[in-house]
Amino acid sequence: MIENKPEVLAPAGTMEKLKVAIDYGADAVYIGGDAYGLRSRAGNFSFEEMAEGATYAHAHHAKVYVAANIVAHEGNLEGAGAYFREVRDNGIDAVIVSDPSLIEIAITQAPGLAVHLSTQASATNWETLNFWKDEGLERIVLAREVGLAEIKEIRKHTDIQIEAFVHGAMCIGYSGRCVLSNHMGLRDANRGGCAQNCRWRYDLFEMPTLGEKQTTLGKNQDGEIEDFSMSAVDMSMIEHIPELIDAGVNSLKIEGRMKTVHYVSTVANVYHKAVADYCADPVNYQMDPELVDELWKVAQREMSTGFYFGTPTEDDELFGPRRQQPHYKFIGQVLSYDRDQQIVTVQQRNNFGIGDKIEFYGPNFTHYRQTVTDLTDEWHHDIQRAPHAMQTVHFHCPYPVHPGDFIRAKEVKANVKVTN
């Protein structure tokens, strides 16, 4: 048994996602405040919401960190000291910062507030980690470009906490420092305004000295010209949890503050189970293939291991036909369950109805599958389908599900090969 179990750290773009992430196994969550963060379009938290979130987390033996990782320009530092003191006083466990000036302000003007170095700071060697430890930081979020062998070497030379991304989107810019959005859309990616330009689709041309421009792009299987993007696939290290833990990683970070509750609950659930299973019996641990299947039930791009085992290749870029595609949709959340009548009350999130094959899932990796055989609306009138967002419906369910459990349904799309 491994006693120092690493933390599963999940994203929380809203209060609902914060509570769901913790309910589904996250040991900590990271959120954004109203200032100094890199996700201006996420559901960022007010000070009052921070206090509510911290209270909920601490009641469930979890922690809350606030991202304040912008690259500060002139004028951005005004009020930072007061901001960090408010964050501290509302029960937040740490702030995640990249700019040295904001780090200095947090340490000197908000004593008692732990500071973690953001991945935006590109920490890639043990000398850098020890420098920041000497400055008073508690944890380093490694650059995404650090490989597993490098992490092992880093751990030999420092005892500061190490946090590493293990799942989610990967930025095409080195440690997220990109100016495409600034150049093409006048939106500063390093101050919360990323326009996701790398995800756009482009034509790529060769420009000869004379004559017409010639496309340099290939053709797909239908003979159509393929467009081009600079978009990376997503990261997934679910099959390498033992290597990460044995290398000395203290916190396993999931990307996705903009993602849905379906995504947050599923991914937190999966990584929580993998970590718990390995730490309980590391000698006999074998990864359950169902964990990978579970990850493919939420919307995401294709997946790779990023830089952990070498430099990514063209196979780690989104170009050409998709090799695999998610095939489930999120359809609702359990509000209550009547054990005597075996009736579940559900808040609908996507259209579903009689005849649909559905799957309930809950914390600790519980699953139950059934076909919907009956359906009534909020007033117990018989209906065939539930087409209205957030409507309350009821139907027969022999299995005792629980409030907070989620429901998904398999969705087969035309012209898409679905694999299980």
Side-chain angles (χ1 to χ4, degrees), residues 2-301:
I2 296 176
E3 295 184 358
N4 295 322
K5 184 170 71 74
E7 166 188 277
V8 174
L9 175 58
T14 65
M15 185 66 69
E16 180 188 25
K17 295 173 190 176
L18 180 149
K19 294 178 179 179
V20 164
I22 292 170
D23 291 346
Y24 278 74
D27 302 292
V29 296
Y30 62 100
I31 66 176
D34 290 332
Y36 308 111
L38 287 180
R39 289 292 182 269
S40 60
R41 290 173 292 157
N44 293 320
F45 286 58
S46 66
F47 290 130
E48 292 77 13
E49 290 169 328
M50 287 183 192
E52 179 186 346
T55 298
Y56 186 87
H58 297 161
H60 292 79
H61 310 289
K63 296 180 178 180
V64 181
Y65 311 136
V66 170
N69 51 349
I70 67 166
V71 175
H73 288 235
E74 291 299 332
N76 291 151
L77 302 178
E78 185 176 351
Y83 176 82
F84 287 131
R85 287 192 295 274
E86 281 283 350
V87 168
R88 177 199 62 192
D89 295 344
N90 280 289
I92 297 301
D93 297 280
V95 287
I96 307 167
V97 191
S98 65
D99 192 285
S101 59
L102 287 172
I103 291 172
E104 184 70 13
I105 291 171
I107 291 173
T108 59
Q109 297 188 35
L113 177 63
V115 180
H116 299 173
L117 186 74
S118 169
T119 188
Q120 306 293 128
S122 301
T124 57
N125 60 78
W126 63 263
E127 291 93 340
T128 295
L129 271 66
N130 281 334
F131 168 84
W132 287 115
K133 177 186 175 183
D134 292 343
E135 291 296 307
L137 273 65
E138 181 179 280
R139 176 185 294 183
I140 304 298
V141 187
L142 293 177
R144 284 184 176 90
E145 295 77 20
V146 176
L148 192 64
E150 292 177 296
I151 295 176
K152 294 178 181 178
E153 186 64 24
I154 287 170
R155 176 49 77 209
K156 292 178 183 177
H157 300 280
T158 183
D159 60 358
I160 194 170
Q161 293 180 26
I162 293 175
E163 182 178 307
F165 279 92
V166 297
H167 196 92
M170 293 190 291
C171 183
I172 200 68
Y174 197 98
S175 291
R177 294 182 296 183
C178 173
V179 295
L180 276 178
S181 184
N182 308 55
H183 176 69
M184 301 175 70
L186 299 180
R187 288 169 51 176
D188 193 340
N190 295 300
R191 287 193 283 176
C194 181
Q196 300 277 310
N197 302 71
C198 62
R199 306 290 188 193
W200 298 359
R201 312 298 293 183
Y202 296 90
D203 289 329
L204 188 63
F205 294 103
E206 179 182 4
M207 302 297 289
T209 304
L210 298 173
E212 296 183 359
K213 60 186 180 182
Q214 301 291 322
T215 179
T216 63
L217 301 179
K219 295 183 179 181
N220 62 24
Q221 56 191 5
D222 298 320
E224 300 169 337
I225 297 296
E226 284 281 356
D227 50 11
F228 173 79
S229 81
M230 293 168 277
S231 186
V233 300
D234 286 357
M235 176 193 292
S236 178
M237 287 291 286
I238 190 60
E239 298 181 66
H240 302 283
I241 294 300
E243 293 100 312
L244 289 164
I245 296 175
D246 294 347
V249 176
N250 304 102
S251 179
L252 307 176
K253 188 169 191 173
I254 300 163
E255 183 275 339
R257 275 194 285 147
M258 305 284 286
K259 299 290 182 68
T260 65
V261 289
H262 182 208
Y263 175 91
V264 171
S265 59
T266 299
V267 179
N269 215 5
V270 166
Y271 278 87
H272 169 79
K273 178 171 174 54
V275 170
D277 288 352
Y278 177 67
C279 289
D281 188 4
V283 175
N284 298 306
Y285 174 80
Q286 290 185 332
M287 194 211 70
D288 185 348
E290 189 177 350
L291 298 182
V292 177
D293 294 339
E294 188 77 1
L295 291 175
W296 274 110
K297 293 177 182 178
V298 294
Q300 60 193 333
R301 305 169 188 92

Side-chain angles (χ1 to χ4, degrees), residues 398-420:
Y399 183 82
V401 294
H402 301 88
D405 287 356
F406 288 124
I407 314 168
R408 55 167 75 105
K410 198 164 188 177
E411 182 179 44
V412 179
K413 300 179 180 179
N415 300 322
V416 174
K417 182 179 179 182
V418 177
T419 59
N420 288 320

Side-chain angles (χ1 to χ4, degrees), residues 333-351:
Q333 181 175 16
V334 175
L335 297 179
S336 64
Y337 181 73
D338 186 328
R339 288 178 176 266
D340 295 330
Q341 300 295 321
Q342 293 188 335
I343 296 295
V344 62
T345 301
V346 170
Q347 182 185 70
Q348 181 261 32
R349 299 294 182 96
N350 270 301
N351 190 325

Side-chain angles (χ1 to χ4, degrees), residues 373-406:
T373 57
D374 59 281
L375 194 62
T376 63
D377 64 16
E378 185 176 359
W379 301 277
H380 299 281
H381 299 142
D382 290 340
I383 57 176
Q384 290 295 309
R385 300 202 67 78
H388 306 300
M390 305 297 283
Q391 74 179 114
T392 300
V393 296
H394 317 271
F395 58 90
H396 180 254
C397 175
Y399 183 82
V401 294
H402 301 88
D405 287 356
F406 288 124

